[in-house]
């Protein structure tokens, strides 16, 4: 009995000793915890000022640190840049002056899973989570950024060794201003909800093909995004947006191209006639988006892109402003891109287009519409290994001209060809040429009086300078009226009536072959007007074919 009592007595001494040590530790932690918040706040503020060489100061309402829980929480955080310090840095040591400065506010920042021991003694450590509530980040570009360093090379060595399980952003906002002192922003987003998992800021994570933006998974949504285009004529605005790197999906809703000036203001500013566009796309959906490639190389790789029910309105004043400059070809758009693009399939469903033009000699504005248009474009790329003369991009489209005449066409585009080679072939269904009067009357001073187009087809080969091809039309009872060219005499005068009679009886072929029972063929030969866009170029080719068939002078 004596031995067990001695053992129990020893255990009690050990327990008492251990309890005493634990009590001392708890008392020390209590004392430290009462002072650690103010110490940590001062330490953090000093560290920010020292590391940024006085460029930034940190303000906060309250910092709470829990050593036992391994957490920290900051309320009302504000990272404030000092532009005077930046200007001094730029003056004395330009290489040390960053290309941009940040102004960051957040209602609350919570960090969990901190290993304070590792943080104190250095070395690699990890965090469970970082959460930012209502952050507002303003990024202002101070000078041209000539560096091309990835993000992990711009942070400290300790951050490159840090692993973060999760980063959350709740109701965030971001604005980018591309000029010092600029009040208006170039880009802005609001209502940002973001969750990134498995983040590591090192070169291995950047190059890991299973990751994107250094993360294993990123999901994000935005309530509204706005981008102001260069020259100040337009802004691009989107409603709700959703993205997922794991699902490889990106969806934009209520996408709009909004003009910020009238056509006259745009033309006056440019010193020439400018086409003013207004575009609305209710939904734009992208799938099989390679976010990893985007984050590593800035190249855009997309499997499928679909735009639903877009509406396009355009207006051009060629009467009061000269048409000059250099028109854009599809090849120009692709060849001028500064990044790689590879979109396997792009589709447009139920497109509506209305184009209005006040022609140079017109007395009123003419217009043409296209509706129920479906387009499919495949192999849209600037990768020379994927596109060639033998493997072009292919655009297939169908729709209604002026809401009545069905048309369909296939365009094959060798987008990297320096001469802008492409081909077009298509068909025209039954329709009435008079539907084109809203466009041809104001610009060509011709009114289609009667006629029925039974069917038609066309083939073209084009370069950036010229086009040639053929067209076939089967039509009946085609007659026109020639109009006065003076605004005050819109009705057909005696002279015009005589000219119309001559045109209809002598010049024009009012029926196709065999009394309208077989198609008549004409040649297409067009020299491109270099100041006009490719759409005008295509329209000129079709008009040339029609005039050739009916025997009208060109």
């Amino acid at each position: 009995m004596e031995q067990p009592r001695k053992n129990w007595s020893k255990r009690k001494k050990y327990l008492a000793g251990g309890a005493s040590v634990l009590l001392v530790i708890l008392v020390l932690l209590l004392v430290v915890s009462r002072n650690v918040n103010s110490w940590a706040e001062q330490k953090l503020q000093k560290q920010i000022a020292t590391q940024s060489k006085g460029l930034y100061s940190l303000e906060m309402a309250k910092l709470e640190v829990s050593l036992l829980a391994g957490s920290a929480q900051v309320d009302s955080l504000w990272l404030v840049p000092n532009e005077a310090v930046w200007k001094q840095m730029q003056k004395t040591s330009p290489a040390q002056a960053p290309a941009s400065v940040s102004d960051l506010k957040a209602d609350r920042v919570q960090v969990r899973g901190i290993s304070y021991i590792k943080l104190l003694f250095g070395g690699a450590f990890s965090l469970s989570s970082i959460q930012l509530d209502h952050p507002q980040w303003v990024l202002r570009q101070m000078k041209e950024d000539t560096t091309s360093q990835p993000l992990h090379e711009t942070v400290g060595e300790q951050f490159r060794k840090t692993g973060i399980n999760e980063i959350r952003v709740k109701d965030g906002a971001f604005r980018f201003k591309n000029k010092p002192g600029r009040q208006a922003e170039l880009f802005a987003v609001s209502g940002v909800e973001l969750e990134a998992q498995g983040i590591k800021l090192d070169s291995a994570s950047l190059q890991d093909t299973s990751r994107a933006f250094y993360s294993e998974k990123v999901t994000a949504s935005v309530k509204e995004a706005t981008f102001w285009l260069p020259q100040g004529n337009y802004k691009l605005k989107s409603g709700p947006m959703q993205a997922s790197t794991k699902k490889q999906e990106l969806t934009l809703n209520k996408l709009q191209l909004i003009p910020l000036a009238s056509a006259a203001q745009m033309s006056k500013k440019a010193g020439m006639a400018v086409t003013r566009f207004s575009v609305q796309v209710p939904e734009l959906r992208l799938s099989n988006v390679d976010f990893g490639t985007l984050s590593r190389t800035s190249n855009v790789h997309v499997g499928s892109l679909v735009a639903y029910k877009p509406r396009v309105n355009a207006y051009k004043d060629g009467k009061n402003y000269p048409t000059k400059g250099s028109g854009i070809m599809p090849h120009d758009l692709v060849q001028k891109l500064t990044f790689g693009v590879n979109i396997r399939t792009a589709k447009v469903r139920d497109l509506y287009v209305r184009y209005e033009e006040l022609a140079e000699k017109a007395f009123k504005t003419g217009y043409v519409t296209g509706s129920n248009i479906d387009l499919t474009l495949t192999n849209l790329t600037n990768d020379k290994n994927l596109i060639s003369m033998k493997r072009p991009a292919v655009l297939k489209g169908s729709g209604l001209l002026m809401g009545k005449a069905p048309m369909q066409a296939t365009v094959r585009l060798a987008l990297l060809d320096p001469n802008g080679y492409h081909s077009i072939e298509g068909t025209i269904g039954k329709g009435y040429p008079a539907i084109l009067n809203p466009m041809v009357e104001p610009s060509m001073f011709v009114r289609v009086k009667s006629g029925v187009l039974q069917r038609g087809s066309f083939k073209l080969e084009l370069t950036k300078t010229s086009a040639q091809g053929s067209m076939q039309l089967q039509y009946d009872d085609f007659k026109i009226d020639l109009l006065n060219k003076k605004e005050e005499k819109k009705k057909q005068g005696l002279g015009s009536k005589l000219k119309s009679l001559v045109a209809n009886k002598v010049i024009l072929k009012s029926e196709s072959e065999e009394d309208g029972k077989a198609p008549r063929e004409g040649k297409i030969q067009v020299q491109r007007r270099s100041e006009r866009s490719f759409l005008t170029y295509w329209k000129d080719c079709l008009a040339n074919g029609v005039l050739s068939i009916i025997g009208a002078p060109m």
Side-chain angles (χ1 to χ4, degrees):
M1 290 291 294
E2 187 66 26
Q3 187 64 33
R5 287 181 181 176
K6 287 183 179 181
N7 292 337
W8 173 244
S9 178
K10 287 181 180 180
R11 288 174 188 164
K12 287 198 293 183
K13 289 180 180 179
Y14 295 150
L15 289 173
S20 300
V21 172
L22 180 60
L23 181 61
V24 170
I25 292 174
L26 290 174
V27 170
L28 288 174
L29 287 174
L30 181 62
V31 173
V32 170
S33 64
R34 288 181 175 178
N35 297 280
V36 72
N37 292 337
S38 59
W39 173 84
E41 183 175 330
Q42 294 173 8
K43 181 70 175 178
L44 188 57
Q45 289 174 328
K46 184 178 179 180
Q47 192 77 359
I48 292 292
T50 302
Q51 292 293 327
S52 67
K53 296 181 172 60
L55 180 58
Y56 290 101
S57 60
L58 183 64
E59 300 179 8
M60 64 188 81
K62 183 173 63 174
L63 171 63
E64 292 184 354
V65 175
S66 174
L67 298 177
L68 292 176
S71 65
Q73 178 174 301
V74 181
D75 290 344
S76 299
L77 177 144
W78 186 9
L79 185 65
V80 188
N82 189 326
E83 291 194 21
V85 173
W86 184 91
K87 291 178 181 178
Q88 184 63 29
M89 292 172 67
Q90 176 66 16
K91 183 178 180 180
T92 57
S93 52
Q96 294 184 5
S100 60
V101 296
S102 295
D103 187 318
L104 176 63
K105 295 180 181 179
D107 288 352
R108 182 179 294 106
V109 179
Q110 300 178 66
V111 183
R112 293 187 174 90
I114 306 171
S115 174
Y116 284 106
I117 300 298
K118 290 184 178 180
L119 183 62
L120 183 62
F121 292 100
F125 70 100
S126 61
L127 301 174
S128 295
S129 67
I130 299 176
Q131 179 170 311
L132 291 86
D133 295 347
H134 195 56
Q136 299 180 65
W137 179 18
V138 179
L139 181 64
R140 181 179 289 108
Q141 185 173 336
M142 304 299 291
K143 63 180 181 180
E144 184 180 359
D145 190 357
T146 58
T147 65
S148 57
Q149 290 180 302
L151 177 62
H152 68 271
E153 292 183 7
T154 64
V155 299
E157 179 69 24
Q158 194 169 25
F159 283 99
R160 285 197 289 270
K161 296 179 179 179
T162 301
I164 305 173
N165 292 345
E166 182 181 75
I167 295 178
R168 287 178 177 267
V169 174
K170 289 189 173 183
D171 192 23
F174 171 76
R175 292 183 293 160
F176 174 66
K177 300 181 179 182
N178 64 335
K179 292 182 180 179
R182 180 184 176 128
Q183 294 302 313
E185 54 265 7
L186 181 69
F187 178 70
V189 296
S190 61
V192 178
E193 301 286 336
L194 181 143
E195 181 178 336
Q197 297 179 353
I199 307 102
K200 290 200 72 175
L201 291 177
D202 55 22
S203 59
S205 295
L206 178 65
Q207 300 302 327
D208 188 344
T209 56
S210 67
R211 291 172 172 262
F213 307 105
Y214 297 96
S215 307
E216 294 176 350
K217 176 183 176 182
V218 180
T219 56
S221 65
V222 173
K223 287 184 179 179
E224 186 176 281
T226 306
F227 176 71
W228 282 260
L229 273 64
Q231 300 180 349
N233 288 334
Y234 296 94
K235 68 177 179 181
L236 186 63
K237 186 176 181 180
S238 175
M241 301 168 56
Q242 299 85 32
S244 170
T245 61
K246 205 68 175 179
K247 295 180 180 179
Q248 294 188 309
E249 293 178 348
L250 172 63
T251 303
L252 297 87
N253 297 281
K254 298 181 180 179
L255 187 64
Q256 302 175 73
L257 179 66
I258 304 171
L260 302 177
S262 66
Q265 290 171 327
M266 292 182 188
S267 299
K268 185 177 181 180
K269 182 179 178 181
M272 61 181 181
V274 173
T275 303
R276 178 183 186 267
F277 290 93
S278 177
V279 181
Q280 295 182 345
V281 183
E283 183 180 3
L284 181 65
R285 186 179 295 274
L286 291 79
S287 57
N288 294 322
V289 182
D290 192 341
F291 288 103
T293 295
L294 179 65
S295 65
R296 287 188 295 273
T297 65
S298 298
N299 293 333
V300 177
H301 290 185
V302 177
S304 173
L305 179 154
V306 185
Y308 296 95
K309 296 185 176 181
R311 298 292 180 263
V312 179
N313 288 277
Y315 172 76
K316 182 178 181 180
D317 183 354
K319 183 179 182 70
N320 299 301
Y321 300 93
T323 299
K324 57 183 181 179
S326 180
I328 297 295
M329 295 284 286
H331 307 68
D332 300 326
L333 296 172
V334 172
Q335 292 173 22
K336 289 179 180 179
L337 292 175
T338 58
F339 55 88
V341 63
N342 181 16
I343 301 177
R344 305 315 303 156
T345 304
K347 296 180 180 180
V348 178
R349 292 293 175 258
D350 195 15
L351 166 67
Y352 172 83
V353 179
R354 181 184 174 95
Y355 176 72
E356 300 179 50
E357 181 176 352
L358 182 61
E360 182 179 356
K361 297 179 180 180
F363 53 79
K364 67 177 182 179
T365 301
Y367 73 91
V368 64
T369 66
S371 57
N372 301 102
I373 300 172
D374 287 342
L375 302 172
T376 300
L377 175 62
T378 56
N379 199 30
L380 174 57
T381 181
N382 57 3
D383 187 339
K384 63 182 181 181
N385 297 313
L386 299 176
I387 193 167
S388 63
M389 296 285 284
K390 294 183 178 180
R391 292 189 298 169
V394 179
L395 173 64
K396 294 184 177 182
S398 63
L400 297 176
L401 182 63
M402 300 298 282
K404 296 181 179 179
M407 290 186 66
Q408 61 180 12
T410 299
V411 186
R412 291 177 172 83
L413 303 120
L415 291 172
L416 299 185
D417 180 61
N419 295 317
Y421 176 82
H422 57 294
S423 65
I424 306 176
E425 59 179 297
T427 61
I428 308 171
K430 185 175 181 179
Y432 300 88
I435 63 176
L436 295 176
N437 281 336
M439 176 55 77
V440 300
E441 281 186 21
S443 59
M444 300 176 67
F445 303 99
V446 171
R447 178 188 296 124
V448 179
K449 189 176 181 179
S450 65
V452 178
L453 173 65
Q454 300 296 345
R455 61 189 175 91
S457 62
F458 51 90
K459 287 185 177 181
L460 285 164
E461 288 189 328
L462 311 90
T463 67
K464 63 173 60 176
T465 57
S466 63
Q468 59 182 3
S470 62
M471 175 179 281
Q472 290 186 339
L473 294 177
Q474 182 179 340
Y475 59 95
D476 304 295
D477 192 30
F478 184 73
K479 294 180 181 179
I480 65 169
D481 286 337
L482 300 180
L483 305 177
N484 285 310
K485 296 185 179 181
K486 294 184 179 180
E487 186 174 358
E488 66 272 13
K489 296 181 180 179
K490 296 179 183 178
K491 295 183 179 180
Q492 190 182 30
L494 178 61
S496 294
K497 289 181 179 179
L498 292 175
K499 291 179 182 178
S500 298
L501 181 62
V502 172
N504 287 315
K505 297 298 182 182
V506 180
I507 301 175
L508 300 183
K509 301 169 183 175
S510 61
E511 309 284 344
S512 52
E513 299 289 349
E514 299 179 11
D515 297 327
K517 295 180 181 179
R520 187 183 294 276
E521 184 168 334
K523 290 184 178 181
I524 298 174
Q525 291 182 325
V526 173
Q527 291 294 316
R528 181 191 170 216
R529 294 178 287 174
S530 60
E531 73 279 4
R532 298 300 182 106
S533 72
F534 69 92
L535 292 176
T536 302
Y537 185 23
W538 294 353
K539 183 264 293 180
D540 288 346
C541 291
L542 297 179
N544 180 267
V546 172
L547 294 175
S548 172
I549 287 174
I550 65 176
M554 293 182 288

